Amino acid sequence: MFTILTGSQFGDEGKGKIVDLMAKDFDFVVRFQGGDNAGHTVVVGDNIYKLHLIPSGVLLDARVLIGPGTVLNPEVLVGEIDMLEKSGTVISPQKMGIDAKTTIIMPYHMELDVLRESARTEKIGTTKRGIGFAYIDKVARDEVTMADIVNRDRLLNRLLELAPQKENTIKELGGDPSIVMDRELVEKYIKLGQRLAPYITDVSYEINKAIENGKNVLAEGAQGAHLDVIHGTQKFVTSSSTIAGSACANLGVGPTKVDEVIGIVKAYITRVGEGPLPTELDDDAGRHIQETGKEFGTTTGRARRCGWFDLPLVKKSVYLNGYTNIALTKLDVLSNLDPIRICTGYEINGIVVDYPPEMTSDLAQCTPVYEDMPGWDDDLTGINKFDDLPSAAQSYVNRLEKMIGVPIGYVSVGPGRAQTFRN
Ligand code: GDP
Ligand code: IMO
Ligand code: MG
């Protein structure tokens, strides 16, 4: 069985929490795109794990894989392995595999990200992790791969070939080109490569074999549908395709193998970085959501912008991903707000539409049209079945399910594993 799970909004929907919860039913959990721009939080008892690269199924028995469509910062990965081992999870080569074709994020990619972002008149607000520049090199066939960094001579030859071009680009942006062949940095990457060498594998082969043998594979998306490089709110997007079909392409698994596509949907909406967010709030309700929902970035610590639930954006995500099931997260955060607003459409140039306009600049001009629902005052964080929710919260979930047109199979009312129930 092959299941794909993706974020339906602008990331940080709670993918990590839901993957951790589901992982007990899966033999493999796999990252298929993005890099350490992702920050997936898993809370188990008093322990909080912030995972940027290692799939969120790592705390259970599943084997975790990093696919060739990701971009990998080896220093961050080694830091994550050490962090997990310190808290008792052993990351042996039996537990984790990294595809040989995975693109490596080099120090110059991070430098270029910072330089380019500061030169932009209109910022994107990237995570400065070098994600876009690593993907540029992949597409340009100028990347350094996982297979390169595990072999000293191969890495040095590759860097010598790439250096003049990289140095020129850094110089053009006003940076210091010596970072490209900096001896200490190169030696550091050689050491990191040696440390990670035992994990090299062929992810596509492993997954296809597993599916053939009746095993369960979960593909864990990073970011969210509207940060997709092709279908998102360009240019305020990330540099990979974040939607479900990308899991097939990036993992080398045929679309005929997909059994289920799960969308993670926050009960409201947040966005980190720049770009339109039609329902963005700058009032007490927005501050309540930000504080109660602890809406600060897992990767950069930036405050997340908060807004009411945006149905047109989620409808588009349903089309982009083909969701068969939805996990609705952070319902508890909406307690003590009245009314609770659902954006059902937008008014643009005097016309009301129920689907996002194709142009990002048009989306930025949209005024939300709201349907108001009654709120509730009860604390939801201790509730473990749907029927025990206050009736106003039940009505909100039922209304969303009807509007979205996809079953809401899970409802989450807190960061912990127990704070989730089947709908
Ligand atoms: P991801 O990137 O989609 O994995 O999401 P993040 O981990 O970046 O952000 C989600 C945050 O919300 C994390 O701090 C989670 O621990 C937390 N969280 C997840 N689900 C819930 C929930 O239902 N209620 C509350 N209050 N917090 C949640
Ligand atoms: P998870 O997996 C939220 C945003 C950045 C920026 C834009 C481009 O935790 O949901 P990039 O560094 O990727 O070039 O930045 O994308 N962004 C995310 N926002 N959650 C994420 O990941 C994100 N990954 C990137 O804030 O606006
Ligand atoms: Mg996150």
Side-chain angles (χ1 to χ4, degrees):
M1 171 149 165
F2 182 45
T3 302
I4 303 170
L5 178 150
T6 64
S8 66
Q9 291 151 325
F10 292 103
D12 304 326
E13 298 89 351
K15 298 176 290 293
K17 175 196 155 148
I18 301 294
V19 168
D20 166 73
L21 188 81
M22 297 181 67
K24 63 179 186 331
D25 299 326
F26 286 87
D27 303 290
F28 292 80
V29 182
V30 198
R31 274 283 302 272
F32 59 91
Q33 46 69 233
D36 63 310
N37 49 349
H40 296 178
T41 315
V42 176
V43 177
V44 186
D46 290 340
N47 294 326
I48 300 177
Y49 302 87
K50 291 178 189 290
L51 300 165
H52 301 285
L53 285 166
I54 299 183
S56 306
V58 67
L59 300 174
L60 290 114
D61 290 338
R63 173 162 163 80
V64 290
L65 297 172
I66 297 178
T70 58
V71 287
L72 185 146
N73 180 325
E75 193 175 10
V76 171
L77 180 60
V78 164
E80 236 164 67
I81 294 172
D82 290 345
M83 178 273 287
L84 285 164
E85 294 205 328
K86 253 189 219 138
S87 55
T89 306
V90 177
I91 311 294
S92 65
Q94 283 69 46
K95 176 70 179 169
M96 182 178 81
I98 309 164
D99 197 277
K101 288 197 176 87
T102 305
T103 297
I104 298 299
I105 298 180
M106 299 298 294
Y108 50 81
H109 292 130
M110 289 176 267
E111 178 72 6
L112 284 164
D113 196 353
V114 171
L115 290 169
R116 180 69 190 102
E117 185 69 4
S118 65
R120 283 183 195 277
T121 39
E122 192 181 35
K123 311 276 183 220
I124 293 174
T126 74
T127 58
K128 304 194 172 130
R129 300 298 174 106
I131 306 297
F133 285 87
Y135 275 119
I136 288 174
D137 278 355
K138 183 179 199 70
V139 176
R141 291 146 296 172
D142 285 334
E143 94 257 61
V144 171
T145 65
M146 186 64 201
D148 293 327
I149 64 160
V150 300
N151 179 311
R152 183 188 188 94
D153 290 344
R154 202 167 147 154
L155 176 63
L156 288 175
N157 286 336
R158 189 72 179 131
L159 284 176
L160 282 174
E161 186 200 341
L162 298 171
Q165 187 223 106
K166 296 288 141 209
E167 285 164 353
N168 279 339
T169 319
I170 290 179
K171 258 190 256 168
E172 270 168 33
L173 285 167
D176 176 2
S178 69
I179 194 170
V180 179
M181 291 305 290
D182 181 279
R183 266 182 93 135
E184 263 179 41
L185 285 176
V186 174
E187 283 306 321
K188 182 162 99 180
Y189 267 61
I190 290 168
K191 279 214 185 76
L192 289 165
Q194 283 161 358
R195 169 98 191 262
L196 294 175
Y199 297 97
I200 282 208
T201 189
D202 178 340
V203 165
S204 169
Y205 178 77
E206 273 205 46
I207 296 179
N208 280 289
K209 268 282 165 218
I211 296 171
E212 201 170 86
N213 292 330
K215 304 254 190 241
N216 293 336
V217 178
L218 176 63
E220 171 181 347
Q223 290 82 50
H226 302 292
L227 291 173
D228 183 279
V229 69
I230 300 167
H231 300 281
T233 54
Q234 288 117 344
K235 67 184 181 188
F236 308 101
V237 292
T238 190
S239 298
S240 65
S241 177
T242 59
I243 58 177
S246 159
C248 290
N250 284 350
L251 295 173
V253 179
T256 50
K257 304 288 184 217
V258 180
D259 295 288
E260 207 175 352
V261 184
I262 298 172
I264 312 301
V265 179
K266 217 178 245 191
Y268 47 94
I269 197 166
T270 59
R271 177 165 204 165
V272 202
E274 304 304 320
L277 185 64
T279 63
E280 183 165 10
L281 293 168
D282 183 19
D283 61 6
D284 287 347
R287 283 182 282 280
H288 171 94
I289 291 174
Q290 188 177 62
E291 280 159 28
T292 316
K294 300 194 174 77
E295 295 296 355
F296 295 90
T298 311
T299 300
T300 57
R302 288 177 292 176
R304 296 174 182 153
R305 300 152 61 197
C306 300
W308 295 116
F309 187 86
D310 187 321
L311 182 65
L313 286 177
V314 171
K315 273 192 190 161
K316 180 161 179 163
S317 303
V318 171
Y319 278 171
L320 296 177
N321 288 278
Y323 291 137
T324 56
N325 204 338
I326 280 175
L328 185 73
T329 60
K330 305 196 90 159
L331 184 65
D332 54 300
V333 175
L334 296 180
S335 292
N336 302 309
L337 290 170
D338 198 12
I340 292 176
R341 313 196 84 181
I342 300 173
C343 163
T344 54
Y346 311 124
E347 193 187 318
I348 177 159
N349 301 327
I351 298 166
V352 174
V353 295
D354 63 359
Y355 196 79
E358 181 60 348
M359 299 282 292
T360 302
S361 50
D362 288 341
L363 186 64
Q365 299 305 316
C366 283
T367 307
V369 175
Y370 288 113
E371 173 177 314
D372 286 353
M373 301 279 296
W376 58 89
D377 289 336
D378 318 54
D379 174 5
L380 307 188
T381 55
I383 291 178
N384 54 20
K385 62 174 189 289
F386 186 78
D387 292 343
D388 289 348
L389 285 173
S391 66
Q394 290 189 19
S395 302
Y396 183 68
V397 176
N398 289 335
R399 186 77 187 119
L400 290 187
E401 185 174 58
K402 185 146 186 275
M403 287 171 150
I404 298 169
V406 176
I408 295 178
Y410 304 83
V411 177
S412 173
V413 290
R417 272 185 191 154
Q419 293 168 303
T420 323
F421 42 86
R422 297 294 297 235
N423 191 4

